[in-house]
Amino acid sequence: MSLRRHRTRGNDRAKEAAVRAYAAADGRLPLSEIARVALRKAFPDHWSFLLGELALYAFLVLLLTGVYLTLFFDPSMVETVYAGPYRPLQGQPMTQAYTTTLRLSFEVRGGLLIRQVHHWAALVFVAAIAVHMLRVFFTGAFRKPREANWVLGVTLFVLAMLEGFAGYSLPDDLLSGTGLRTAATIVGSIPVVGTYLEMLLFGGQFPGQVVIPRLYVLHVLLAPALLVAVVTAHVLLVFYLKHTHWALPGRTNRNAVGHPMVPHFAVKSTGLFLLVFAVFTGMAAVAQINPVWRYGPFRPDQVSAGSQPDWYVGFLEGALRLMPPWTTVVAGHTIMWNVFVPALLLPGLLFTGLLFYPFIEKWATGDRAEHHLCDRPRNRPVRTGLGVAGIVFYAVLLLAGGNDLLALVFDASIQAVTWVLRVALVLAPLLAFAVTRRLCLALQAADRRRLAEGEETREVRQAVHGELSGRHRAVPPDVRYRLLMRETQKPVALPEEGPADRRLRVRAALSRFLLADRVELPARASERAAVAERTAPPRWDEDGDPGAGSGTGPGPGGGDRGSVRAD
């Protein structure tokens, strides 16, 4: 009894101490307010929303493993002679950066495992961001009020690529040195100032003596700080604006439905993080990646045969290989169009277009209302076609980055492979757009037939006179809700009287291009009214958009921007 009484007193004292500590902290920090908001937050339960979490947890793995690696890595370019346990390189001159990379791989306990976990996590981090952005693009989750989050996502993707390239270059092996040589050529191709920038970055003529230490500072300090800042801002905006959701019964454009943070989301999210870390560790244990000891130290007069960069910069390599050797000499200065256009102008246009796409679509369609329902990609044929065309364009460039290996595998000349890929770079995206657009319209037509005729039961009925016909049953209410719940927009119309200026004509043409393709679905008048009500923007929309304050009542589950329901 005395032992039980002692334990009870100890537990009571611990509870009192915890309460006092929380009260003291709450008196100085807004803990209760934050906890109250956080506990009411509804989190989505659809698998597609886990892509963003996957990117976040890959980033956390990168931070944890990166801290471990910095304890043993020396970014110095001072030359030394290797005397470590790897015999093929013993006695070879190399930089201290390459020496410490070898030491990490062969002498530090767990060093090779952590190195490979770090590298696999980096590849998955960039891939998860890319796939997450595709999900956002195809579902229209970049529209108001989430334009800023889209901009942050594109910025995060560019920063992740920069961070990955800097880390890829740090070991100073022959493969990463080949990539640095390409980077020096790209910088030097900038007209007028390119040579000066190259000398500034490399501390002299390539390869210089300072580029690895500078990339180290960029990799472990500047880029991670920017990534943490952008990720934090992105997560806070997601938390404030709430998530989008798919059109299901009870989910409208005016509410946010999902699981509460505690205990559902907290447990699932923690499990996902542990699973991600375990998968990366398993991949690092069984799948070798970046074996720098096989490449040898970097030598300016050598190039590693079959050099291939990591996948996220492979499209730049492909663009460089596909570009014809065009140069122009102006006043004694050579402008290298064969490097400047594919390596600087093309990615600049690509990422600028991605950055401003939400604003371009908003301007073209005149849509200034809030959107919290996800679009089904089939209901936006042109946007979906553009996305698929962009993926195909990127894929062709990625294939072109290995045109020498393709020529070897298919026993063809590298010139023939290059010309095939050049033609594919122009025609394949156009074909992908046309096919995707037609498929989306065909899927819409299939939805219309499903609503009009019902679902097939795989039963055949024979009439008295012998005619055979398939038997159908009515579409279930939840499926009918999902098919009919789509936002309708009409293209911007030109004025009936009077001339229209060029800007308005361009806007109307772009609006017709984006919105004209549509298959009308059969619905009763009451269903159309219900769809219009539940897809209407929140009442509080400050821009005075059509429908924002039109007097339509809120849909089920809430009537304003703050309404949240956790299942």
Side-chain angles (χ1 to χ4, degrees), residues 128-147:
I129 295 175
V131 179
H132 178 61
M133 288 178 59
L134 289 176
R135 197 276 302 174
V136 171
F137 180 84
F138 285 125
T139 62
F142 55 81
R143 296 172 295 175
K144 181 182 176 179
R146 297 174 179 84
E147 302 97 332

Side-chain angles (χ1 to χ4, degrees), residues 176-505:
S176 65
T178 303
L180 275 178
R181 185 196 303 275
T182 304
T185 305
I186 292 172
V187 174
S189 71
I190 302 175
V192 182
V193 299
T195 303
Y196 303 101
L197 286 177
E198 181 183 351
M199 298 287 283
L200 177 65
L201 293 175
F202 287 85
Q205 191 173 5
F206 177 83
Q209 294 296 323
V210 297
V211 63
I212 299 298
R214 289 178 177 177
L215 286 174
Y216 182 73
V217 174
L218 174 66
H219 184 68
V220 304
L221 182 62
L222 297 179
L226 291 174
L227 283 170
V228 169
V230 174
V231 168
T232 302
H234 186 78
V235 171
L236 289 177
L237 272 179
V238 170
F239 196 89
Y240 173 70
L241 296 173
K242 302 179 179 60
H243 61 272
T244 56
H245 50 199
W246 296 98
L248 294 173
R251 304 185 182 192
T252 72
N253 207 30
R254 303 184 179 192
N255 62 4
V257 180
H259 293 304
M261 171 176 282
V262 179
H264 297 75
F265 178 77
V267 173
K268 290 169 61 177
S269 191
T270 303
L272 179 62
F273 170 68
L274 296 176
L275 180 62
V276 167
F277 209 147
V279 169
F280 288 157
T281 305
M283 293 170 65
V286 301
Q288 186 181 78
I289 189 170
N290 198 26
V292 295
W293 54 89
R294 297 181 58 186
Y295 309 137
F298 175 68
R299 295 284 184 269
D301 60 334
Q302 297 178 9
V303 175
S304 179
S307 299
Q308 303 294 326
D310 283 339
W311 73 268
Y312 47 85
V313 290
F315 78 102
L316 288 178
E317 178 78 12
L320 287 168
R321 296 189 184 195
L322 292 187
M323 184 69 184
W326 293 343
T327 59
T328 303
V329 178
V330 179
H333 297 278
T334 301
I335 301 177
M336 298 185 296
W337 301 112
N338 58 327
V339 178
F340 177 75
V341 171
L344 290 172
L345 185 60
L346 175 65
L349 293 174
L350 175 64
F351 287 110
T352 301
L354 281 175
L355 202 67
F356 288 99
Y357 182 84
F359 308 99
I360 295 173
E361 183 176 299
K362 179 179 178 179
W363 174 78
T365 61
D367 180 15
R368 301 178 62 84
E370 285 195 7
H371 299 275
H372 302 286
L373 285 174
C374 291
D375 279 334
R376 297 179 75 199
R378 67 181 64 183
N379 292 333
R380 298 286 183 170
V382 173
R383 184 203 292 156
T384 304
L386 290 174
V388 174
I391 294 173
V392 172
F393 184 81
Y394 187 94
V396 173
L397 290 179
L398 195 61
L399 284 175
N403 61 346
D404 52 344
L405 299 179
L406 291 175
L408 180 63
V409 170
F410 292 102
D411 193 20
S413 68
I414 192 170
Q415 290 82 6
V417 172
T418 300
W419 271 105
V420 168
L421 291 172
R422 283 174 178 171
V423 174
L425 187 65
V426 176
L427 297 183
L430 298 176
L431 180 63
F433 172 80
V435 171
T436 303
R437 176 175 164 272
R438 292 307 307 171
L439 283 176
C440 289
L441 292 173
L443 290 172
Q444 289 189 50
D447 289 342
R448 179 180 60 186
R449 185 168 58 253
R450 188 179 181 186
L451 290 171
E453 301 176 2
E455 294 183 335
E456 294 183 0
T457 61
R458 298 182 181 180
E459 297 178 6
V460 178
R461 177 184 299 174
Q462 185 175 18
V464 176
H465 55 276
E467 181 183 2
L468 298 177
S469 61
R471 187 175 181 182
H472 296 76
R473 62 168 174 262
V475 176
D478 57 334
V479 176
R480 190 174 184 86
Y481 185 95
R482 176 170 56 87
L483 296 181
L484 291 177
M485 279 285 289
R486 61 176 188 173
E487 299 172 355
T488 58
Q489 290 178 257
K490 294 182 179 180
V492 175
L494 293 173
E496 296 181 0
E497 298 181 358
D501 59 14
R502 181 178 301 175
R503 181 173 178 272
L504 183 56
R505 290 198 301 270

